Structures are given as C-alpha cells and as structure tokens.
Amino acid sequence: MGKKAQTSRKGKKAWRANISTEDIHDFFDKSTKDAQSGGSLKEVPSESLFFVDKSSDLSVKRKIEKNREKVLWRDSILQKNPFVKPVPSSTNRKKNQKKPPAAPSAAQNGSKDCTASSSEVACLWASTGEDDNKVKKIRKPSLIPAVEVEPSGCSFNPSFQSHQDSLAHAVAEEMQKVYRNELGPLPVPETVPGEAITEEDKYFLDADGGSNDDSSDDLEPANMDEDGNIRPKKTKRVTRVELNKRARRKEVLKKEADAKKVKELSKEIDSLPSIIQEIEKENKEKEKRRIRRVVAKQERLKVRPPRLGKRKFEPAPTQVLLSEEITGSLRKLKACCTLARDRFKSFEKRGLIVPTAKTSRRK
C-alpha cells in the first residue's frame, strides 16, 4: 500500500482538495441498487416484510411415527404369507398399550424368546418382554408408637404407690399365663392307657358287622309260609271311588291352605307398623355391633400387630423392680434388658418384622 496522502497545512482554502467523498459515492451506489431492485426497504411497511406462520407443523415424533407406518416392499411380500411374520427393525411401544400375556410354553421350557404381536415385537433376548420394575408396597401406618413410655412404677426410684401398681400388673400377667396353662385344653396323649388285645380276641370284634338287630325278628309271621318261605305281599286294587275321595280331599286341603295364607297375609298387613319398628330396632342393633367390632379391632391393633406369620406376637414381660431391689441409685441398679432387645420387640409389635420363636443360647 502506498503512503497516506499528507494534508495541506497552508490554510483553510487549501483543505478543500483533501476532503473525502466516499460516503457520497456510497449513497449514490445504494440508491441506484434500490431503484433497480424495486425500492428501498425502509419505505416498505413491516406487514409486507413479516408474517405469522399459522400452519400446523408436524412434530418430530409424529413424523417418525408416520414414517414407521409405511410398509416396505419386503414386508409386504412377507405379509402375503399368513404363517410368516415380519420382524421390524425397531419397536414403537406406547405407554398406555396393554402388555401381551406371556406364552405358557415359553415359561415351561425356560426359553428366552419374546411374545410378539402383529403390530410390535419385543426384544428377542428379553426374559418376558415387560418392564421388570418392582412396585414398592406402601405400608400402612401403625397405631402403636415407635417408643412407648413405661409407667412411672418401672423407674429405678419410683414412688411407693406407683411401684405397687406396676408390681400388681406384672403379677397379674404372670398369673394369667399360669391359669391359661392349667385351665386350657389338655394335649392329645401320645399313648392311650389300656390292656393289649390278643390275636384271638380280634377275630370276635365286630363279627356281626355292627348290626345288633336280629333280621328274623323283623319278619312278620303273616308273610311266612308253612314251609318258612317269604311270600310276596298282595297289592290292593284302588277303585274309582277311592281315587275320587283322594282328589276331593286334596282340593279341600288346598283351599284350606290358601285361606290360611290369606288370613296370615291380612294379619301381617295389619301389623306393618310393629314390623317396621322391629326392623329399625334390628338395624340399630346391627349398627351398634358393627361399631363395637370396629372399636374392638382398633383397640387390638393398639396392643398387638396383625397376624403376619405362623407365630403370634408375645409381648415382653413388664420390667419392674422388686421391693428389695429398689436402691434409689443408678450405680447399684440391677441389669435389665438391653436396648437392642427392646427395639426388636418394638419392630415385632408394630408389624414391621415377623415374630420369631424364642431361642435360648447353648453353652
């Protein structure tokens, strides 16, 4: 590039020779281009330059589904044969679509092929072709608190009255166990006391087949011949007169039964108010029994959990000190159950774990 032209320093009149006219030339060039293209864009209104596109454009997902709906030429050839099913390159599983039931033969043979339908085919190496997400079970809140406060009589230095109350409660629990064992049903004995039966006496037991009646006594002497043979009974012939009597008797009994029904129905209609009162009384009694059952169930749930396993929940005995064990000092306090045992019993009582049998340590 050449050197920049130096400005004249002689005076203001000499400056006119060095004034730049590039902006003027640019303006003329731009106006010429605008005249050739149809006019300047600054003079055109914005409504003609910009517009709102109101056409509904398809989403990307819909376009993909639309392309998947197209049937290829190779698939159309396979569809002509009903025994051959085409295998698409990809699956289009919808969330709301019902899952196909698993084939019983595949479950028995332990094969890993998927269940396929006409519209979609699951993965060939999947176990069931379904989601294996496990549904978490929501536990019902227990009415039993997590930490139960023991009565004041179970403290290390209780008052005399509260200690006697807790001690009496513990004694009552132990006596209930004793009475339950003594008054409960006796277990089935393993052996039955008695004398052994010899082999000869076994043949005479139930020799008559359990029937104590003599068959010869049941036979009437009128049915026996002189030779002792049983002769058949002669059936008496029923005449037309006897049949008419039976028909008239049947009609009379039917009319009496109908009249009795009408009479009972009229009595029930007359006693409708009393029947309505009895029904209301029975409904009230049923409602009271239902409320009592609900309250009793709630009270049982507050004390013990529902049955979870084959063993029932057995509450721990009340931890109360005897009268001679009360020292009033924590240093001389007798050792009691551990905290882990208490928490374990709390879990069982609230129904979080299944109650287990009591185990003892082996030496």
Side-chain angles (χ1 to χ4, degrees), residues 31-162:
S31 59
T32 304
K33 289 181 181 180
D34 293 341
Q36 292 177 355
S37 60
S40 178
L41 295 177
K42 295 181 179 180
E43 299 176 358
V44 179
S46 59
E47 288 79 3
S48 60
L49 294 177
F50 307 100
F51 65 95
V52 180
D53 187 7
K54 296 183 179 180
S55 62
S56 58
D57 192 8
L58 296 177
S59 61
V60 178
K61 185 177 180 181
R62 190 174 176 184
K63 288 180 180 179
I64 295 173
E65 293 177 355
K66 189 175 180 180
N67 292 331
R68 284 178 176 175
E69 291 177 358
K70 295 180 181 180
V71 181
L72 299 179
W73 179 72
R74 57 181 178 82
D75 295 335
S76 63
I77 296 174
L78 294 175
Q79 285 179 357
K80 294 179 181 178
N81 191 351
F83 300 101
V84 179
K85 294 183 179 180
V87 180
S89 58
S90 61
T91 59
N92 183 17
R93 178 169 295 180
K94 299 180 181 179
K95 295 182 179 180
N96 299 329
Q97 189 173 3
K98 295 182 179 179
K99 299 176 182 178
S105 60
Q108 294 174 0
N109 300 331
S111 58
K112 296 184 179 181
D113 53 346
C114 305
T115 56
S117 61
S118 60
S119 61
E120 61 175 355
V121 177
C123 179
L124 295 175
W125 295 274
S127 58
T128 56
E130 301 176 358
D131 295 335
D132 297 333
N133 297 330
K134 296 182 179 180
V135 180
K136 295 182 179 179
K137 295 183 179 180
I138 301 175
R139 295 183 178 272
K140 295 181 179 180
S142 177
L143 300 176
I144 304 173
V147 180
E148 297 182 3
V149 180
E150 294 183 348
S152 59
C154 299
S155 176
F156 74 97
N157 189 19
S159 61
F160 178 76
Q161 187 64 31
S162 61

Side-chain angles (χ1 to χ4, degrees), residues 137-293:
K137 295 183 179 180
I138 301 175
R139 295 183 178 272
K140 295 181 179 180
S142 177
L143 300 176
I144 304 173
V147 180
E148 297 182 3
V149 180
E150 294 183 348
S152 59
C154 299
S155 176
F156 74 97
N157 189 19
S159 61
F160 178 76
Q161 187 64 31
S162 61
H163 177 258
Q164 293 298 320
D165 294 341
S166 301
L167 195 61
H169 182 68
V171 172
E173 289 181 353
E174 295 298 327
M175 292 305 297
Q176 282 182 1
K177 295 179 182 179
V178 174
Y179 292 150
R180 193 181 297 111
N181 294 332
E182 292 179 354
L183 303 177
L186 297 176
V188 179
E190 297 181 359
T191 58
V192 179
E195 296 179 358
I197 301 174
T198 60
E199 294 292 336
E200 296 179 357
D201 296 338
K202 289 182 180 180
Y203 293 105
F204 296 100
L205 295 176
D206 297 334
D208 54 352
S211 61
N212 297 326
D213 300 334
D214 192 1
S215 60
S216 61
D217 297 339
D218 297 338
L219 299 176
E220 297 180 359
N223 297 334
M224 299 293 292
D225 293 338
E226 295 177 357
D227 300 336
N229 298 326
I230 300 173
R231 59 187 178 184
K233 294 181 179 181
K234 293 182 179 180
T235 57
K236 187 178 179 181
R237 186 177 180 182
V238 183
T239 60
R240 175 60 60 182
V241 178
E242 187 67 24
L243 292 174
N244 294 337
K245 285 183 180 179
R246 290 180 183 179
R248 287 194 296 269
R249 180 63 179 170
K250 191 174 181 181
E251 290 179 0
V252 171
L253 293 175
K254 186 177 181 181
K255 289 180 181 179
E256 290 178 357
D258 294 342
K260 189 176 180 180
K261 286 182 180 179
V262 172
K263 191 175 181 179
E264 291 178 356
L265 185 61
S266 62
K267 286 183 179 179
E268 290 179 357
I269 292 173
D270 296 336
S271 60
L272 274 178
S274 59
I275 294 175
I276 293 173
Q277 291 179 1
E278 290 178 0
I279 293 173
E280 291 179 355
K281 189 176 180 180
E282 290 180 359
N283 292 336
K284 288 181 181 179
E285 291 294 332
K286 289 181 181 179
E287 184 66 20
K288 288 180 181 179
R289 287 197 296 269
R290 188 188 68 80
I291 293 173
R292 284 198 295 269
R293 286 196 300 268

